[in-house]
Amino acid sequence: MRLGHFDALKPICPACRINGQQEALRIEEVLLEEGGHILQARILCAACFREFPVIDGIPILLPDVRGYIQQNALALLMRQDLGAPLRSLVGDCLGPTGPYEQARLYLSSYADEHWGDLEPGSSLCVGSVQRVMGVGLELAGPVSGPRLDLGCSLGRTTFLSASQTEDLCLGVDLNFSMLSTAGRILRGGEVAYDRRRLGIVYDPVRFGVTMPGAERVDFWLADAATPPFADGSFSVVSSLNLIDCLPSPAGHPEVLAQLLRPGGRAILCTPFDWAPHATAIEGWLGGHSQRGPDRGASEPVLRNLLIQAGFSTVALHDRVPWSIRLHARSSMSYEVELWVGERA
Ligand SMILES: C[S@@+](CC[C@H](N)C(=O)[O-])C[C@H]1O[C@@H](n2cnc3c(N)ncnc32)[C@H](O)[C@@H]1O
């Protein structure tokens, strides 16, 4: 976590925010700092006295920190020092089911998609998300002020945004493993992850990158549904392939509008890939009830919500390719709807 981002973005307590209060957070205790990054610290809300840890440079700013730590202990306490043969051995022992393999697979797919194209000699067909973000940023145009990348995963799109502005850029996600990998890229310029070949066979990948504008980037762990920011904190908010991962997608346009300053731009894309493990069917925007007025379509439902939230459409691209590599012989392809809007 960079002090400059904390001071400029002035995060508020996400728990108090739920009760309609905007209480500033303060850094209570710094335990470890390196090269301008706070790696371990305690952040405090002076109103409700909740504590928020900074672990491996990632501040965890959630209303229910205790619940998150209980459910994500494996990722939070994962050792970084094991060599590739031992990681492989541990993976073999744990087998193909369970949280370790789930996390490893998810990280491999998104690390490839975000960073695989920069590996020297890479022949992977990856990088579609930065192409989508590139189109979105171009359509959004030059807007000055801080930028927020919600559901940033391994952060390539946050870096892309930073390369096109002089303002601060913040990537926010709920996945600690992804954010800590992004944080290591930010601090050391080294991309390191295990790439899935097949089954539970993974090959270590390691290479250096230089990202223009990296000094303006930071990564925080926060929930897109309860972001720890005062209203109107950002000039650009991106939400790429996130809305169909949220438990309550209908509330997302309203959150985007709250985060943006008047005249700010939102960039949203989605494949409308509804899945019950992420969103109960009652929360889906379309994708069911094909006998209803929208015949089960998702697109008009989302657009109505965006209008209700106070957005006007700047641009809409119906089918933009986006894909995710699963292993050496498999990837999933989507055509996402990309929408750019302006907050009234
Ligand atoms: C389908 S992935 C898309 C990642 C990235 N934006 C991209 O397009 O490559 C969805 C991302 O959203 C994150 N996510 C899911 N629910 C979230 C929430 N409530 N708040 C913040 N991030 C969330 C996931 O951890 C994951 O990184």
Side-chain angles (χ1 to χ4, degrees):
M1 182 179 79
R2 292 186 195 272
L3 189 56
H5 281 66
F6 192 91
D7 286 345
L9 298 174
K10 299 185 179 17
I12 58 169
C13 173
C16 292
R17 187 184 191 271
I18 291 175
N19 302 323
Q21 283 149 1
Q22 306 210 340
E23 301 291 346
L25 293 175
R26 68 169 190 241
I27 300 172
E28 187 68 2
E29 184 181 14
V30 175
L31 300 159
L32 184 64
E33 201 173 352
E34 218 173 79
H37 295 269
I38 296 173
L39 297 183
Q40 292 179 20
R42 237 170 10 95
I43 294 172
L44 186 75
C45 170
C48 70
F49 295 107
R50 276 184 176 78
E51 292 175 301
F52 304 91
V54 180
I55 301 177
D56 292 346
I58 305 297
I60 301 179
L61 303 179
L62 297 171
D64 181 14
V65 172
R66 188 151 56 115
Y68 183 85
I69 289 184
Q70 286 172 359
Q71 285 163 25
N72 293 275
L74 181 69
L76 289 162
L77 303 177
M78 186 96 86
R79 298 173 57 152
Q80 300 298 332
D81 58 329
L82 293 183
L86 285 184
R87 293 200 300 278
S88 162
L89 189 156
V90 168
D92 280 350
C93 293
L94 291 172
T97 53
Y100 180 83
E101 179 54 23
Q102 199 183 358
R104 198 159 63 139
L105 196 158
Y106 203 40
L107 190 65
S108 164
S109 290
Y110 280 90
D112 273 344
E113 173 56 19
H114 281 232
W115 295 101
D117 62 305
L118 293 182
E119 186 186 13
S122 170
S123 57
L124 297 181
C125 286
V126 290
S128 54
V129 71
Q130 36 145 352
R131 289 193 284 277
V132 178
M133 181 64 147
V135 175
L137 287 169
E138 199 178 319
L139 294 170
V143 195
S144 66
R147 298 176 173 198
L148 178 66
D149 188 12
L150 288 172
C152 67
S153 178
L154 279 104
R156 181 71 183 276
T157 48
T158 320
F159 282 103
L160 179 64
S161 195
S163 71
Q164 300 186 9
T165 177
E166 293 301 312
D167 293 297
L168 296 185
C169 295
L170 183 69
V172 156
D173 202 282
L174 265 189
N175 186 301
F176 184 81
S177 304
M178 290 179 170
L179 289 173
S180 52
T181 307
R184 284 192 292 276
I185 298 169
L186 178 65
R187 294 191 298 275
E190 186 181 62
V191 179
Y193 61 98
D194 289 339
R195 173 179 295 150
R196 186 170 179 228
R197 199 190 319 156
L198 280 174
I200 54 171
V201 176
Y202 287 77
D203 299 308
V205 175
R206 191 178 284 261
F207 55 91
V209 290
T210 307
M211 304 307 293
E215 66 283 1
R216 292 187 287 281
V217 172
D218 205 8
F219 295 107
W220 296 4
L221 194 148
D223 189 340
T226 53
F229 304 106
D231 292 354
S233 293
F234 297 94
S235 63
V236 177
V237 178
S238 46
S239 163
L240 306 187
N241 307 313
L242 169 67
I243 193 169
D244 56 2
C245 301
L246 300 174
S248 305
H252 193 52
E254 186 64 43
V255 171
L256 295 179
Q258 282 169 1
L259 288 167
L260 282 168
R261 299 169 177 174
R265 300 282 165 107
I267 303 170
L268 185 152
C269 76
T270 175
F272 299 112
D273 193 23
W274 305 115
H277 62 82
T279 316
I281 187 168
E282 292 77 12
W284 296 5
L285 311 180
H288 60 78
S289 305
Q290 66 198 76
R291 296 146 322 279
D294 293 317
R295 297 171 182 265
S298 289
E299 296 83 348
V301 184
L302 175 59
R303 273 198 290 282
N304 275 338
L305 288 169
L306 289 164
I307 291 166
Q308 281 168 27
F311 283 106
S312 58
T313 296
V314 172
L316 180 70
H317 286 210
D318 184 27
R319 292 181 177 276
V320 183
W322 174 58
S323 60
I324 287 289
R325 179 186 179 278
L326 298 180
H327 61 68
R329 295 178 183 276
S330 167
S331 59
M332 256 192 308
S333 299
Y334 298 88
E335 288 184 329
V336 300
E337 183 179 85
L338 171 65
W339 169 92
V340 176
E342 178 175 320
R343 184 191 181 284

